[in-house]
Amino acid sequence: AVAATGLGLALSSDGAGEVDRFSPQTATVQVLEEVLAYEGSSATVLASVLFSDGSRRELTTATGLDVRAISDPVAASLDVEGAVAMVTSDAVNMDGLLLRAAYVPVGSCSGAELVTAGVPGVIDLAAPDAAEVVLSQTTLAHSSDPAAALGGGGVATSCNVSVFLIYGSRRVDVT
């Protein structure tokens, strides 16, 4: 009988990794450009399962790949959906094993994980260079002020406030 003996993993922030980049070693874990540097940045877990007969098969969530945050603190920093992990607004800097990947064969009655491995990564959030506050109105009046009742709509009594963090040339809406 052929059994799963290892799980080859990589974490790619550009989603362009290929399974043939994995070494043939059992339970190999490789890391490809996995430094997540800002809220909303994401990385995809690329995986293949190694079988006892030497064959290897690429895994996706449709073929049995199960990816989860390795702990509660990581779960607060990464939103994992399918094989993609995205940095959340509550993220904190961390380095080490961030995700846990498992091979659960599709159609398995027990749902048993045949092989598992930790996926290393780095969340290294830079401090913003600047903050920007944008107001939809620059002049406001209290609702009881006669200026608010002037013809043509009067002076606004409320406005929308947007807040942006600036990282180099990137502008992130944190409203």
Side-chain angles (χ1 to χ4, degrees):
V2 176
T5 60
L7 191 62
L9 296 169
L11 191 62
S12 175
S13 57
D14 63 7
E18 296 178 15
V19 173
D20 61 5
R21 291 185 185 174
F22 299 118
S23 77
Q25 301 169 14
T26 301
T28 299
V29 176
Q30 286 184 309
V31 180
L32 305 175
E33 295 190 42
E34 74 304 84
V35 175
L36 302 172
Y38 57 91
E39 178 187 339
S41 60
S42 64
T44 302
V45 175
L46 306 172
S48 64
V49 63
L50 176 65
F51 295 97
S52 58
D53 67 356
S55 64
R56 183 179 295 273
R57 186 174 95 186
E58 180 178 356
L59 290 179
T60 66
T61 53
T63 60
L65 177 63
D66 181 45
V67 179
R68 298 171 191 219
I70 205 156
S71 65
D72 287 342
V74 174
S77 294
L78 289 174
D79 182 21
V80 181
E81 186 170 322
V84 178
M86 182 181 297
V87 178
T88 69
S89 60
D90 296 326
V92 295
N93 289 344
M94 55 182 66
D95 184 353
L97 293 180
L98 300 182
L99 302 171
R100 179 181 173 282
Y103 173 46
V104 181
V106 175
S108 166
C109 294
S110 67
E113 298 171 338
L114 294 187
V115 287
T116 64
V119 183
V122 177
I123 299 175
D124 186 15
L125 305 174
D129 299 322
E132 178 183 6
V133 177
V134 178
L135 305 173
S136 63
Q137 301 290 328
T138 56
T139 304
L140 296 174
H142 190 276
S143 59
S144 63
D145 189 311
L150 290 175
V155 177
T157 58
S158 65
C159 74
N160 294 322
V161 178
S162 298
V163 179
F164 299 90
L165 296 179
I166 311 301
Y167 299 89
S169 63
R170 195 168 44 83
R171 186 175 182 234
V172 179
D173 187 347
V174 295
T175 303

